[in-house]
Amino acid sequence: MFLRKTKSQALKSPSTPHEDELKKAAESLYKQNHELAIKNKTLSLLRELYQTSIQNLEPNILAGKLAEQILKAFEYELVAFFSYNGNRDELVPSEFARSERWNATRAKLQVHIDSFHFPSASTHPILGKVLRDKQMVHIENITELWGKNVSEKTLKEFQENTHLKSILMYPLFTDGKNLGVLMFGLNRNYDELIQYEKDSIGSFINVISIALDKAYLYQELQVTNEDLAVANDKLKELDQLKSEFLGLASHQLRSPMTAIKGYASLILEGEFGTVSPELKGAVDIIYHSTQTLTSMVADFLDVSRIEQGNMKYDMADFDFKVLTEEVISEQKPNIEKAGLAFAFKPEEGKTYMMNGDKQKLKQILVNFIDNSVKYTPKGSMTVSLKKDDATKKITFAVSDTGVGIAKETMPKLFEKFSRAKDAQATNIHGTGLGLYVAKKMVDAHHGRVWAESEGEGKGSTFLVELQGK
């Protein structure tokens, strides 16, 4: 007699080969879809992480943004950044992203386990491996991390309420430098993760490490720039005080120097009676030394006025050729005393009218001719004047056969305190300010000044170009 199968017996009946194939196909399709979803999430997350990483953010702000992006993409329970303090060998809580479940559990149990520091981090039984060996470590029992801070019972309840199944810890480092640890709290066991997800986490760990390192460097650079700005302000203040001091000192020195020079001149002219040749020679040295000092004081005073913006210019129309002839007439005795052949070569048939400060420009011409005499032990010097009919620009030039200018000296020639390297050796007095002052005065006239030389021992030419009328 045949018995009818019960419903339970029918359900327990073996599946057909066709059903097994369908089941395997469904499982394979599910697995493929799952892997595809993970890949899409990972690629999307990597794009987001990259876009965030290229922003110039402070390390903590950057870490916070990255943590939120990872938590949202992979639906983890916790993403936590711990920065490493190498001096104290301590992992310090930095930025966190937590699931709603994690936050609810923290509030319920009043336990903020993710905010605890880890002192002696390099010797910690778990974190030490992450820092020292620079490898990922995962655990399934959170007591291994926070057992010293919270009771085992509370941690067990915390883990159950958050559905926490495993914690993954990755080292953050670049060029051998430990930046910290990135911690993930998962509601799945590590072994349940597909291999692609495991590999993907490692990929964006590298992106995060580089981004954080850049953020720390940017922060340090900002601090350095701020320190430099403060130091620069201090230097400007000191430079202003220096200029004010030079101006005050130079102004105060002018009166006694003028008195010394004046009385020395009166003695030499016999206003106080006849003086012996020996005394006259000594007074003559005093007179010329005072004249040199007066010139130096004038240079310092000019620099002070220029740097403080107090240099005044009295602009008026005048004939530049007449001014040049006046300067040459005054400097002729010095040129003849130096035994130099001299020539003045203005372009004929040209007018040299211009608008400018006659006394300031006279000072420049005197400086150039005087320098030419000083740096030309023997030979000749020539002063020339030219005017471009198209632009009406006037060019004054002093050429000599003197010591010339070294190639390395040329770029610094019109800077403060710049002097020819053999000036001391040839006993040439000066402050190294004359050409600097000359350039600033020419700049104020919207002209230009420069020098030309084929090198040491081959003479030089100093030129000034000004706008004529």
Side-chain angles (χ1 to χ4, degrees), residues 92-104:
V92 181
S94 177
E95 293 297 323
F96 306 93
R98 308 176 182 90
S99 67
E100 292 182 5
R101 198 156 36 211
W102 188 284
N103 283 329

Side-chain angles (χ1 to χ4, degrees), residues 80-321:
F81 281 90
F82 289 82
S83 59
Y84 181 63
N85 185 327
N87 294 328
R88 299 173 60 180
D89 188 24
E90 181 178 34
L91 277 173
V92 181
S94 177
E95 293 297 323
F96 306 93
R98 308 176 182 90
S99 67
E100 292 182 5
R101 198 156 36 211
W102 188 284
N103 283 329
T105 303
R106 287 173 91 233
K108 177 184 176 182
L109 299 180
Q110 289 297 302
V111 175
H112 302 166
I113 61 173
D114 47 45
S115 300
F116 291 127
H117 290 223
F118 290 100
S120 303
S122 64
T123 59
H124 189 280
I126 303 297
L127 295 168
K129 295 179 183 178
V130 182
L131 292 172
R132 285 193 317 270
D133 302 335
K134 294 181 175 56
Q135 64 179 24
M136 188 278 291
V137 174
H138 67 92
I139 60 172
E140 296 181 357
N141 186 347
I142 63 176
T143 304
E144 295 181 65
L145 270 181
W146 291 294
K148 291 184 178 180
N149 306 98
V150 183
S151 69
E152 185 175 351
K153 179 183 177 183
T154 302
L155 288 175
K156 183 178 180 181
E157 186 178 357
F158 192 100
Q159 190 161 357
E160 288 175 353
N161 288 354
T162 56
H163 297 185
L164 194 63
K165 297 293 180 65
S166 59
I167 287 186
L168 281 54
M169 289 155 281
Y170 288 84
L172 297 170
F173 66 95
T174 56
D175 298 326
K177 177 173 60 177
N178 280 326
L179 302 176
V181 170
L182 182 54
M183 186 181 294
F184 301 124
L186 278 63
N187 50 24
R188 291 171 285 160
N189 291 322
Y190 178 71
D191 293 337
E192 295 176 16
L193 302 179
I194 63 173
Q195 189 59 44
Y196 183 84
E197 186 172 359
K198 294 177 182 178
D199 296 339
S200 299
I201 295 173
S203 297
F204 59 73
I205 288 296
N206 292 332
V207 173
I208 291 168
S209 296
I210 294 170
L212 280 177
D213 186 49
K214 188 192 78 168
Y216 282 121
L217 289 174
Y218 181 73
Q219 187 179 57
E220 290 172 8
L221 184 61
Q222 281 187 311
V223 172
T224 302
N225 286 342
E226 288 173 5
D227 291 342
L228 286 174
V230 171
N232 191 43
D233 289 340
K234 293 259 183 207
L235 285 173
K236 286 180 179 178
E237 184 180 344
L238 289 171
D239 193 53
Q240 178 68 16
L241 290 172
K242 178 265 300 177
S243 296
E244 291 175 3
F245 170 76
L246 279 178
L248 179 63
S250 300
H251 184 75
Q252 295 299 321
L253 284 170
R254 290 181 74 182
S255 296
M257 296 305 297
T258 302
I260 294 170
K261 183 180 176 183
Y263 278 105
S265 177
L266 291 173
I267 293 171
L268 291 172
E269 291 170 2
E271 292 296 326
F272 296 102
T274 305
V275 294
S276 66
E278 293 82 3
L279 181 59
K280 189 173 183 179
V283 174
D284 187 59
I285 293 172
I286 292 172
Y287 176 81
H288 285 96
S289 296
T290 306
Q291 195 169 23
T292 301
L293 283 173
T294 302
S295 177
M296 290 181 178
V297 168
D299 284 344
F300 282 121
L301 194 56
D302 283 339
V303 169
S304 175
R305 288 169 177 163
I306 288 168
E307 292 187 342
Q308 293 183 63
N310 294 330
M311 181 66 82
K312 306 296 183 184
Y313 292 89
D314 298 319
M315 311 300 273
D317 291 344
F318 67 94
D319 190 326
F320 193 80
K321 181 181 177 183

Side-chain angles (χ1 to χ4, degrees), residues 18 59 77 215 227 298 360:
H18 180 66
E77 300 299 326
D227 291 342
K360 298 290 190 303

